[in-house]
Amino acid sequence: MSKYKMHLLVCGGTGCHSSESYRLYETLRDQVEKRGLERDVQVILTGCFGFCEKGAILKVMPDNTFYTQVKPSDAEEILDEHIIKGRRVHRLLYTNPETEEHVPDSKQMDFYRKQLRIALRNCGAVDPENIDESIARDAYQALGKALTEYTPAETVDLIKRSGLRGRGGAGFPTGLKWEIAARNGADQKYVVCNADEGDPGAFMDRSILEGDPHSVLEAMAICGYCTGASKGLVYIRAEYPLAIKRLKIAIGQAREYGLLGEHILGTDFSFDVTLRYGAGAFVCGEETALIHSMEGKRGEPSNKPPFPAQSGYLGKPSNVNNVETFANIPVIILKGAEWFSAIGTGRSKGTKVFALAGKINNVGLIEVPMGITLREIIYEIGGGIKNGKKFKAVQTGGPSGGCLTEKHLDTPIDYESLTAAGSMMGSGGMIVLDEDDCMVSVAKFYLGFIVEESCGKCAPCRIGNKRLHEALTRITEGKGEADDIDRLRNLGTVIKDTSLCGLGQTSPNPVLSTLDNFMDEYREHVHDRKCRSGQCRGLLFYVISKDDCIGCMACRRVCPTHAISGEKKGVHVIDQHICIKCGACMEKCQFDAISLRNDYPRATAAAAVQEESSTHS
Amino acid sequence: MNGIKTLADLKRKQEEVMSRMGQRNRGENPESLVQVKVAMATCGIASGAKEVMEYFMDELDRKEIDAVVTQTGCMGYCFAEPTVEITLPGREAIVFGYVDIRKAGEIIERYIGEGELLDGIIPQNYNTI
């Protein structure tokens, strides 16, 4: 069999897909064929490389060349120069933003240097639509090892000793979960993969399914062997079309090879996987709601107990794990529990995938060992804050999480310390905020999401969150009342204590953690009517500068509410009570005399509002 | 596609695919492996570098030596083409000139295999920045 001398790996993740990586792949393949190199050069579409900031990504192996922002029109040059003549195309190489030097080798990139890719081990390294490539990288070897060398109980014990905990958010020990499911006897049991990834900004589950579907299928089979289940179900949202397509292909190929189905690898163990589609509701990430949705019922959570391990899908014992959790399993079995538990901190073992987003230079998907600090993630892997701005906070854990601030920069990241800091691991969204972000608005954004996504079954979550959102909206519009801050804290605590499921129990976290860390900003909004970052339009004022206004009357004519007064050739003034902040005057002014300010008539405006409210009462 | 009925089948399948994809996977840890760089500019190709590269790949594979074979641009020793740069783990890179298939065999056998220095080394007369 002939060997390929060079491999062109084109990122086929959703991010790069929208940067036309699919056309790049086709063009490269055509060009390779045109030159008669198809026996020497292999072109494949892979899963996500994680460096989504600079898609489309093309990696050339074996020389580890990392090209960024490659367009289909670059294909010809890459082939002529790099593939045939061996000269790298310098203009497409990744450029280090600090030194402005080209980095030819991806191993030298800061983005990859601190990462440890376990769950993402095959993303960007194999063609997810070809099972052979996954097999070459150990796919199904762990299943074979478990089936032939270990009993189910021994396998569960191995997972327990590894210290692996659920990567979906709550961090329940995976081995223990399997043990409970195994203990419950029944004629039929189920393994469920939770691929209902709903946190705004998180996309690690999608990337794993798109880049390495076999790792998840294999782990589900292993889980089936351990718990005594013969059926696996992947609950995936219908809005992940590419992940669904690749999963379907992977299931088809695994069945064809006999790696799913009856008597796997000549043993008595049989296991098969089917897909169930969700409509994309955040609450369906909660396991009881997920199971109800799979049964065709409303996606609403129910009380625990009974736990799914006792009575889950169709009333049968079911084990629900998250995609990323599953992706860790095969490696743990092949390399051993000790290898895995040596990575990470005291009670948080292994690695965690984070989706880095927001005001950061290297937006993308990263996998880091537990215990790494926020500083390392933001300033080394992430390449620092965009445009050299000042770091303010990082929001972790999505709508269930909270904000970490500068004082947490050196806290090691693991389940316990994140919870102690008032946030949570969550599924791993990490949104970086800089000095231009208003923390009250951030809290309002997440509460808005919760109000949309609350299923409405229990009152604290349905009504309470709505009230929280209303109070936050008031505050950001400059209509905050003096006791709004206390009300937010009281109501938030009640919702946390009384909601039915995990969604409601964590939904006030964005408010509570911003109250803890950014009380100053809340006070400023309510008492001083000021938004220091200038994000809240309701707290901004259009102001005409006395020095620059020449009294041309242009702004006065354009103002739709006649808020501007002033004589010709005299200084004009905006009446803040009438101004609706449309900005028409600023646009019209030819002399840059009108500016948008967040501190101008602070005292005057506050006094005016008070005066107004006292006359009303 | 044939079914995979036993673990041994799976291992066989893995080996079969591995040999095709070997260069890709090895490229991830080049520092710990033997690196062979064949100069494949116009001058190199005209002097037979393509065949030499092919020979390196097949022969190293046959001898089960884990190596990364890559092509590179002109190294500047056009008088001595084909030229090949060999980096053994933890050692300085060494450039050999006039590498035909016979010489390539000798390099694999004696330098890569035994670590002995051979004739035909081109002294490095430049520094890289």
Side-chain angles (χ1 to χ4, degrees):
Chain A
M1 191 186 268
S2 75
K3 281 176 223 69
Y4 292 117
K5 293 194 185 65
M6 289 197 119
H7 302 260
L8 301 178
L9 313 180
V10 183
C11 176
T14 297
C16 287
H17 201 273
S18 15
S19 311
E20 297 195 307
S21 71
Y22 195 77
R23 273 190 49 220
L24 171 66
Y25 162 73
E26 284 182 339
T27 322
L28 282 170
R29 212 187 39 197
D30 291 348
Q31 295 283 350
V32 165
E33 264 172 41
K34 204 170 108 192
R35 288 167 174 76
L37 295 170
E38 61 266 31
R39 286 168 58 82
D40 295 324
V41 180
Q42 188 190 24
V43 187
I44 62 162
L45 268 180
T46 68
C48 181
F49 285 91
F51 203 63
C52 311
E53 172 79 16
K54 298 261 186 230
I57 304 289
L58 168 68
K59 193 171 177 185
V60 183
M61 294 300 266
D63 52 23
N64 250 320
T65 306
F66 199 83
Y67 289 126
T68 55
Q69 292 178 321
V70 187
K71 286 183 259 339
S73 53
D74 298 323
E76 198 161 347
E77 187 180 348
I78 292 172
L79 273 167
D80 283 340
E81 284 294 307
H82 188 158
I83 308 305
I84 294 180
K85 295 182 191 150
R87 293 194 290 239
R88 288 176 169 132
V89 183
H90 284 267
R91 69 182 172 87
L92 293 173
L93 288 173
Y94 169 69
T95 315
N96 184 322
E98 274 167 33
T99 59
E100 298 194 349
E101 277 172 19
H102 292 308
V103 184
D105 189 337
S106 62
K107 298 188 96 57
Q108 305 298 323
M109 288 166 61
D110 286 338
F111 183 71
Y112 286 110
R113 225 179 336 208
K114 286 236 163 176
Q115 290 198 46
L116 176 62
R117 290 161 82 95
I118 297 177
L120 298 176
R121 63 194 176 280
N122 288 334
C123 286
V126 300
D127 176 357
E129 299 186 11
N130 180 353
I131 188 173
D132 286 353
E133 298 219 333
S134 294
I135 289 179
R137 290 179 64 106
D138 292 333
Y140 299 100
Q141 297 286 342
L143 176 62
K145 191 175 178 187
L147 290 178
T148 53
E149 291 176 31
Y150 301 133
T151 63
E154 281 167 356
T155 317
V156 170
D157 187 55
L158 188 126
I159 301 296
K160 268 171 86 176
R161 278 188 290 123
S162 75
L164 177 66
R165 293 167 65 179
R167 297 292 191 246
F172 192 80
T174 309
L176 188 60
K177 203 169 193 177
W178 288 18
E179 192 177 57
I180 298 167
R183 217 185 287 146
N184 293 312
D187 52 344
Q188 178 69 57
K189 294 187 196 175
Y190 294 95
V191 173
V192 180
C193 173
N194 182 351
D196 189 76
E197 185 174 48
D199 287 20
F203 55 97
M204 59 283 300
D205 294 349
R206 187 191 75 207
S207 295
I208 292 172
L209 290 171
E210 282 174 3
D212 189 16
H214 290 287
S215 70
V216 177
L217 296 178
E218 180 185 9
M220 288 176 72
I222 294 170
C223 179
Y225 175 66
C226 293
T227 57
S230 62
K231 285 192 177 144
L233 300 155
V234 181
Y235 183 81
I236 184 165
R237 35 179 62 206
E239 61 211 58
Y240 278 0
L242 191 60
I244 291 175
K245 179 184 151 208
R246 298 216 169 125
L247 257 180
K248 278 186 176 163
I249 294 173
I251 293 173
Q253 290 178 344
R255 279 187 191 146
E256 206 166 324
Y257 270 179
L259 294 167
L260 285 178
E262 302 286 311
H263 299 289
I264 294 170
L265 297 173
T267 63
D268 288 335
F269 175 64
S270 301
F271 191 80
D272 204 3
V273 176
T274 48
L275 301 184
R276 289 284 184 281
Y277 305 120
F282 183 59
V283 71
C284 289
E286 200 282 335
E287 52 184 11
T288 58
L290 181 150
I291 287 168
H292 292 149
S293 169
M294 286 203 304
E295 290 168 339
K297 297 178 190 151
R298 291 183 87 144
E300 289 180 342
S302 54
N303 267 324
K304 293 195 265 190
F307 289 93
Q310 300 159 313
S311 169
Y313 182 60
L314 303 177
K316 306 290 185 192
S318 307
N319 180 74
V320 186
N321 280 130
N322 160 272
V323 172
E324 192 190 332
T325 316
F326 275 130
N328 277 296
I329 301 282
V331 195
I332 296 176
I333 291 184
L334 285 179
K335 295 203 172 186
E338 291 66 32
W339 168 81
F340 191 78
S341 62
I343 305 164
T345 62
R347 291 184 55 210
S348 302
K349 302 299 188 189
T351 56
K352 178 77 192 86
V353 183
F354 288 103
L356 264 188
K359 309 281 180 60
I360 191 154
N361 277 319
N362 300 338
V363 168
L365 200 62
I366 60 162
E367 181 169 352
V368 287
M370 297 271 191
I372 194 170
T373 63
L374 214 47
R375 191 184 296 280
E376 287 172 281
I377 292 185
I378 293 171
Y379 290 99
E380 293 182 36
I381 298 171
I385 309 296
K386 254 192 187 145
N387 303 324
K389 296 264 180 170
K390 199 169 166 291
F391 168 81
K392 187 174 206 173
V394 60
Q395 211 283 347
T396 68
S400 309
C403 287
L404 302 172
T405 60
E406 210 159 351
K407 65 174 189 258
H408 301 115
L409 271 179
D410 292 309
T411 320
I413 294 190
D414 58 29
Y415 290 98
E416 278 70 32
S417 43
L418 281 184
T419 312
S423 183
M424 70 183 280
M425 185 72 83
S427 63
M430 209 174 244
I431 297 171
V432 180
L433 307 169
D434 70 6
E435 53 191 326
D436 289 343
D437 287 300
C438 162
M439 299 315 289
V440 186
S441 302
V442 168
K444 189 181 82 173
F445 166 78
Y446 281 106
L447 257 294
F449 178 83
I450 292 289
V451 168
E452 293 243 314
E453 294 292 340
S454 168
C455 76
K457 188 172 180 177
C458 69
C461 176
R462 180 184 69 238
I463 304 170
N465 283 316
K466 180 87 181 146
R467 293 290 95 85
L468 282 183
H469 186 248
E470 284 167 359
L472 289 168
T473 309
R474 260 201 313 276
I475 295 176
T476 53
E477 283 175 353
K479 297 172 188 152
E481 294 153 18
D483 52 353
D484 267 345
I485 295 178
D486 288 334
R487 202 176 295 152
L488 282 175
R489 190 182 288 283
N490 290 340
L491 186 54
T493 319
V494 171
I495 296 172
K496 220 174 153 150
D497 291 341
T498 54
S499 287
L500 172 64
C501 78
L503 191 153
Q505 285 156 13
T506 54
S507 60
N509 282 354
V511 183
L512 296 175
S513 88
T514 45
L515 278 175
D516 286 342
N517 293 309
F518 297 96
M519 185 51 108
D520 288 356
E521 281 193 40
Y522 276 90
R523 287 213 186 97
E524 266 176 19
H525 277 75
V526 175
H527 301 300
D528 306 337
R529 309 277 165 197
K530 177 187 173 185
C531 172
R532 61 171 82 173
S533 56
Q535 291 273 307
C536 299
R537 275 195 90 73
L539 296 173
L540 292 178
F541 303 95
Y542 284 92
V543 181
I544 301 177
S545 152
K546 277 190 196 128
D547 303 331
D548 295 329
C549 178
I550 61 150
C552 70
M553 315 265 294
C555 57
R556 194 177 147 178
R557 274 194 293 273
V558 82
C559 177
T561 55
H562 308 295
I564 302 177
S565 56
E567 294 305 312
K568 199 167 182 180
K569 293 198 175 156
V571 173
H572 287 48
V573 180
I574 301 176
D575 184 338
Q576 300 297 346
H577 286 100
I578 310 175
C579 173
I580 54 165
K581 292 164 189 165
C582 66
C585 53
M586 189 156 109
E587 217 165 274
K588 194 77 191 172
C589 182
Q590 309 239 329
F591 308 96
D592 292 331
I594 303 180
S595 56
L596 196 55
R597 293 177 43 188
N598 63 354
D599 57 352
Y600 161 65
R602 232 197 304 165
T604 1
V609 170
Q610 264 172 9
E611 192 181 299
E612 195 187 356
S613 58
S614 59
T615 48
H616 279 286
S617 54
Chain B
M1 268 194 209
N2 295 322
I4 294 175
K5 295 199 180 62
T6 63
L7 189 55
D9 281 354
L10 182 64
K11 293 235 156 93
R12 239 192 325 275
K13 180 87 204 169
Q14 183 180 28
E15 269 165 34
E16 181 192 314
V17 200
M18 274 289 260
S19 69
R20 267 175 84 76
M21 289 170 55
Q23 285 298 320
R24 189 195 313 170
N25 294 337
R26 283 181 210 137
E28 286 181 7
N29 296 305
E31 301 82 10
S32 58
L33 304 171
V34 178
Q35 294 177 63
V36 179
K37 282 186 187 159
V38 185
M40 291 268 265
T42 312
C43 46
I45 295 172
S47 327
K50 246 191 168 114
E51 290 73 26
V52 171
M53 181 167 173
E54 202 117 342
Y55 180 79
F56 265 108
M57 289 189 75
D58 292 339
E59 196 59 18
L60 288 167
D61 206 54
R62 209 174 54 77
K63 290 205 151 67
E64 296 181 359
I65 297 169
D66 273 346
V68 186
V69 184
T70 48
Q71 51 181 12
T72 142
C74 180
M75 296 190 206
Y77 311 111
C78 305
F79 59 95
E81 292 295 343
T83 49
V84 176
E85 184 190 285
I86 313 269
T87 316
L88 298 183
R91 287 231 219 159
E92 290 270 312
I94 284 183
V95 179
F96 291 94
Y98 304 106
V99 184
D100 54 12
I101 293 196
R102 200 184 49 78
K103 183 78 190 171
E106 201 186 344
I107 292 173
I108 294 175
E109 192 93 0
R110 294 178 51 198
Y111 182 61
I112 298 180
E114 314 285 336
E116 255 176 86
L117 292 179
L118 299 175
D119 286 346
I121 295 173
I122 303 180
Q124 204 171 350
N125 53 9
Y126 61 86
N127 291 314
T128 45
I129 45 160

